[in-house]
């Protein structure tokens, strides 16, 4: 069986487990238990491999908890960020799950112990609350303790049965792959609410490549509205590990999604000291001000959400928004996210941001912000994508690429919305690797291509009231059938002649019939 077939079979199995075990519980509500269990298995096996250190004579899962010394525990936490006793390992809990009448409370105790093991260490904030959404006492699992334990045991057994490979055989990526598969399926089935926390992998890949284009190394990568971390992880997945020197940074407003992002980092084997994901509202409570600037910024912020805006008079003096001289509208925070990203961007870096198309042509404050961006030569490219690429919306969105190191004052516009730039799938359109490669070649060359791309000078854009809609500069290909007027007139003349002759023939026949009757 090929690697692709193995992956497809694993995905089929894990989705079947997720659906079979949840019973009557809504899949969206049940996702935390499947995702959390997969994460529990991962950190258990990861920790076991670390403790055993390749020594086949050591069987950590078979040890007694009381043989673990404080020194062993201390070293492990400093290295891995957490500690798990042998009795707490996934493999041991899963083995006895069906007969354990205290399974739900035992799991709660184990999760609390893993989290508290980091207290007082550098990893404390990275580990704290990771299992907060894995509520083993929730009535969603069942009305009685027996029902709860039965469902929890089924999830544990199901995940235990997944063939995720051996860490030592370099199959560790299967954990992260399975986790992302689950997240993407939950997002697809959740509609709009799912799209708010997960950017499809194919779009994430394009955004990551735009942000890191031709940068041999970046200091760190940042997503101010990171969701489950899918955009950040594309940077790791598609570029050599050494290219990102100081790791991955993100902020997320939703607590559950914030936990998903941190789990996602661990599951992709990014150690606690190489990522920093914070909880909070990026626009009014921004983190990482002491960590900026960032050489690469990727983001798919929520479209046209409300924010406090001008109701907070201090924001106009905020260093992120003050240079533009105006705040984004209270009913549409899109440009607030853009200006935030710009303020965190380094002089050598790029930011690639998914944007709602309306912000590129509307008037008022948004027009003034566009003027600020163009007058200061921050807009490198605007790309229009095909419709129906994202979960929960069929909108044809744009990608805004910001740069502080442009070599000229022209702005590039790319129309990648045509049929040559997407593949139709069952529920959503997708970008293939060929589509992404084609877009990146156009982005890199900055050459004008009829009906695809145009680099427009500053004066033209300013004269057009700073409209940044791709359709204002890239002429759409005329797909209408071309008609030769002379040829058409000749055909009409011939047709009219035939009709006249036919009428005369009909008149003769009618006259004969009427004459016969007489």
């Amino acid at each position: 069986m090929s690697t692709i077939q193995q992956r497809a079979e694993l995905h089929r199995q894990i989705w079947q487990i997720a659906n079979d075990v949840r019973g009557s519980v809504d899949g969206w509500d049940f996702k935390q238990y499947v995702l959390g269990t997969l994460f529990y298995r991962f950190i258990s096996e990861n920790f076991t491999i670390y403790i055993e250190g390749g020594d086949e004579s050591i069987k950590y899962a078979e040890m007694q908890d009381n043989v673990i010394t404080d020194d062993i525990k201390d070293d492990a936490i400093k290295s891995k960020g957490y500690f798990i006793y042998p009795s707490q390992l996934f493999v041991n809990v899963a083995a006895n799950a069906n007969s354990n009448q205290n399974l739900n409370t035992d799991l709660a105790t184990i999760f609390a112990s893993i989290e508290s093991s980091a207290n007082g260490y550098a990893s404390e904030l990275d580990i704290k609350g990771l299992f907060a959404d894995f509520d083993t006492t929730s009535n969603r699992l069942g009305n009685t303790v027996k029902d709860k334990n039965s469902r929890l045991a089924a999830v544990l057994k199901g995940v235990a049965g997944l063939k995720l490979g051996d860490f030592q055989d370099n199959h560790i990526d299967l954990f992260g792959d399975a986790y992302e598969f689950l997240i993407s399926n939950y997002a697809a089935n959740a509609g709009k609410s799912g799209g708010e926390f997960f950017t499809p992998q194919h779009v994430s890949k394009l955004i990551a490549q735009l942000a890191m284009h031709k940068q041999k190394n970046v200091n760190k990568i940042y997503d101010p509205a990171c969701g489950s971390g899918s955009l950040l992880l594309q940077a790791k997945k598609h570029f050599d590990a050494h290219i990102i020197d100081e790791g991955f940074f993100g902020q997320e407003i939703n607590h559950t999604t914030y936990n998903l992002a941190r789990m996602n980092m661990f599951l992709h084997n990014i150690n606690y000291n190489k990522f920093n994901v914070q909880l909070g509202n990026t626009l009014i409570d921004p983190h990482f001000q002491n960590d900026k600037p960032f050489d690469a910024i990727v983001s798919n912020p929520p479209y046209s959400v409300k924010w406090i805006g001008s109701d907070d008079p201090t924001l106009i003096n905020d260093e992120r928004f003050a240079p533009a001289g105006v705040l984004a509208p209270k009913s549409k925070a899109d440009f607030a996210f853009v200006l935030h990203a710009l303020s965190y961007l380094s002089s050598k870096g790029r930011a690639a941001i998914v944007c709602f198309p309306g912000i590129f042509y509307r008037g008022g404050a948004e027009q003034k912000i566009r003027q600020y961006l163009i007058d200061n030569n921050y807009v490198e490219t605007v790309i229009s994508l095909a419709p129906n690429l994202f979960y929960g919306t069929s909108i044809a969105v744009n990608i805004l690429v910001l740069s502080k190191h442009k070599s000229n004052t022209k702005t590039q516009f790319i129309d990648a919305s045509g049929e040559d730039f997407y593949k139709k799938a069952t529920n959503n359109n997708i970008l293939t690797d060929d589509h992404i490669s084609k877009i990146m070649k156009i982005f890199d060359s900055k050459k004008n291509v009829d009906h695809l791309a145009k680099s427009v000078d500053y004066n033209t854009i300013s004269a057009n009231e700073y409209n940044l809609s791709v359709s204002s500069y890239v002429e759409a290909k005329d797909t209408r059938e071309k008609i030769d007027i002379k040829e058409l007139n000749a055909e009409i003349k011939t047709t009219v002649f035939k009709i006249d002759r036919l009428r005369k023939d009909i008149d003769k026949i009618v006259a004969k019939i009427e004459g016969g009757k007489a």
Side-chain angles (χ1 to χ4, degrees):
M1 187 181 292
S2 69
T3 301
I4 294 175
Q5 289 174 320
Q6 286 178 324
R7 179 174 272 109
E9 176 61 17
L10 173 63
H11 289 175
R12 186 195 67 77
Q13 290 176 3
I14 197 168
W15 191 240
Q16 184 175 334
I17 291 167
N19 285 320
D20 289 350
V21 173
R22 71 179 176 86
S24 60
V25 184
D26 182 80
W28 182 249
D29 291 334
F30 197 65
K31 71 181 186 300
Q32 298 306 127
Y33 297 101
V34 181
L35 292 168
T37 302
L38 186 65
F39 175 69
Y40 176 35
R41 175 178 166 180
F42 169 82
I43 62 171
S44 292
E45 295 186 16
N46 189 309
F47 191 80
T48 298
I49 294 299
Y50 166 77
I51 291 293
E52 292 178 349
D55 188 339
E56 294 183 1
S57 66
I58 300 175
K59 304 293 182 184
Y60 186 64
E62 298 174 9
M63 290 183 180
Q64 297 297 313
D65 291 356
N66 57 15
V67 303
I68 307 299
T69 65
D70 289 341
D71 287 342
I72 292 175
K73 186 175 180 180
D74 182 65
D75 288 342
I77 298 171
K78 287 177 179 176
S79 177
K80 301 303 295 180
Y82 58 90
F83 191 85
I84 306 177
Y85 283 101
S87 65
Q88 299 173 333
L89 292 171
F90 173 87
V91 64
N92 289 329
V93 175
N96 302 311
N98 287 336
S99 59
N100 185 354
Q101 296 180 3
N102 300 312
L103 180 61
N104 68 326
T105 54
D106 283 353
L107 280 173
T109 301
I110 290 171
F111 296 156
S113 174
I114 294 172
E115 289 185 14
S116 64
S117 69
N119 289 349
Y121 289 85
S123 60
E124 180 176 352
L125 295 179
D126 298 303
I127 305 298
K128 186 178 181 180
L130 274 174
F131 292 98
D133 296 298
F134 197 119
D135 185 358
T136 63
T137 63
S138 172
N139 287 332
R140 285 182 294 186
L141 292 170
N143 293 323
T144 66
V145 172
K146 183 178 179 181
D147 290 340
K148 291 178 176 64
N149 288 340
S150 177
R151 185 157 283 162
L152 287 169
V155 178
L156 288 166
K157 288 293 187 181
V159 171
L162 293 173
K163 296 180 180 179
L164 292 165
D166 191 309
F167 282 55
Q168 294 166 318
D169 292 334
N170 296 317
H171 290 155
I172 190 169
D173 65 308
L174 287 179
F175 274 96
D177 182 74
Y179 194 76
E180 283 203 45
F181 166 78
L182 273 171
I183 291 179
S184 65
N185 265 32
Y186 280 125
N189 284 275
K192 184 178 179 181
S193 59
E196 290 174 355
F197 79 92
F198 184 79
T199 303
Q201 288 189 26
H202 51 96
V203 182
S204 297
K205 183 188 293 189
L206 171 61
I207 295 168
Q209 290 190 23
L210 287 166
M212 300 181 72
H213 183 61
K214 287 189 173 178
Q215 296 198 69
K216 292 183 179 179
N217 71 288
V218 298
N219 60 352
K220 45 206 165 189
I221 187 165
Y222 168 58
D223 185 344
C226 69
S228 59
S230 55
L231 271 170
L232 291 172
L233 288 166
Q234 282 301 319
K236 177 183 185 294
K237 188 174 292 187
H238 296 285
F239 299 92
D240 293 334
H242 69 269
I243 200 171
I244 303 171
D245 297 329
E246 299 175 43
F248 306 81
F249 294 72
Q251 185 165 345
E252 171 55 34
I253 193 170
N254 180 282
H255 192 278
T256 297
T257 312
Y258 156 72
N259 283 336
L260 287 179
R262 292 190 295 160
M263 287 184 181
N264 216 355
M265 293 293 151
F266 279 112
L267 278 155
H268 284 81
N269 210 29
I270 299 175
N271 207 33
Y272 77 92
N273 56 359
K274 279 295 184 179
F275 76 84
N276 191 343
V277 178
Q278 295 289 327
L279 177 67
N281 185 326
T282 295
L283 298 183
I284 61 175
D285 182 25
H287 290 264
F288 311 121
Q289 297 195 65
N290 294 327
D291 295 291
K292 63 181 183 180
F294 295 87
D295 290 342
I297 296 176
V298 293
S299 190
N300 178 19
Y303 309 144
S304 300
V305 295
K306 296 179 181 179
W307 75 307
I308 192 168
S310 58
D311 284 346
D312 182 349
T314 66
L315 285 175
I316 193 61
N317 297 316
D318 189 301
E319 64 179 358
R320 299 170 297 163
F321 311 126
V326 65
L327 295 172
K330 289 187 292 183
S331 60
K332 304 174 182 69
D334 307 72
F335 266 126
F337 283 104
V338 170
L339 292 174
H340 170 88
L342 180 66
S343 73
Y344 275 48
L345 186 64
S346 74
S347 59
K348 71 181 277 285
R350 280 191 180 90
I353 307 166
V354 180
C355 296
F356 183 81
I359 72 170
F360 293 106
Y361 59 80
R362 292 191 293 240
E366 291 178 318
Q367 181 184 21
K368 292 178 180 177
I369 294 172
R370 293 197 303 272
Q371 179 175 350
Y372 162 72
L373 295 174
I374 292 297
D375 285 353
N376 288 277
N377 204 29
Y378 291 137
V379 181
E380 180 174 3
T381 303
V382 181
I383 305 171
S384 63
L385 296 179
N388 204 32
L389 289 173
F390 293 81
Y391 301 122
T393 179
S394 60
I395 295 170
V397 301
N398 292 177
I399 297 178
L400 173 64
V401 183
L402 300 175
S403 170
K404 293 182 179 178
H405 62 274
K406 288 172 62 180
S407 59
N408 57 51
T409 58
K410 289 188 174 184
T411 300
Q412 182 189 40
F413 296 89
I414 300 174
D415 184 356
S417 63
E419 293 185 356
D420 292 339
F421 290 94
Y422 70 91
K423 176 183 177 182
K424 291 184 178 180
T426 305
N427 296 317
N428 289 82
N429 294 325
I430 60 173
L431 299 173
T432 66
D433 286 346
D434 287 342
H435 296 141
I436 293 171
S437 176
K438 195 184 303 183
I439 293 171
M440 290 305 302
K441 285 179 181 177
I442 297 171
F443 172 76
D444 178 60
S445 73
K446 297 294 188 287
K447 291 181 180 178
N448 293 337
V449 182
D450 289 346
H451 313 300
L452 283 180
K454 189 172 183 179
S455 290
V456 182
D457 62 51
Y458 167 79
N459 291 330
T460 300
I461 294 174
S462 62
N464 195 24
E465 299 181 332
Y466 297 93
N467 187 318
L468 296 181
S469 294
V470 173
S471 59
S472 295
Y473 305 100
V474 180
E475 183 182 359
K477 191 172 184 178
D478 189 350
T479 57
R480 295 175 298 178
E481 182 181 357
K482 293 183 178 179
I483 299 173
D484 187 319
I485 298 299
K486 290 183 178 179
E487 184 178 334
L488 179 62
N489 285 334
E491 289 179 2
I492 292 173
K493 189 174 182 180
T494 300
T495 301
V496 170
F497 174 77
K498 289 180 179 179
I499 291 173
D500 286 343
R501 188 171 65 181
L502 182 60
R503 280 176 177 167
K504 289 177 181 179
D505 291 342
I506 292 172
D507 288 343
K508 289 178 182 179
I509 294 171
V510 171
K512 285 182 180 181
I513 293 173
E514 289 178 344
K517 288 181 179 179

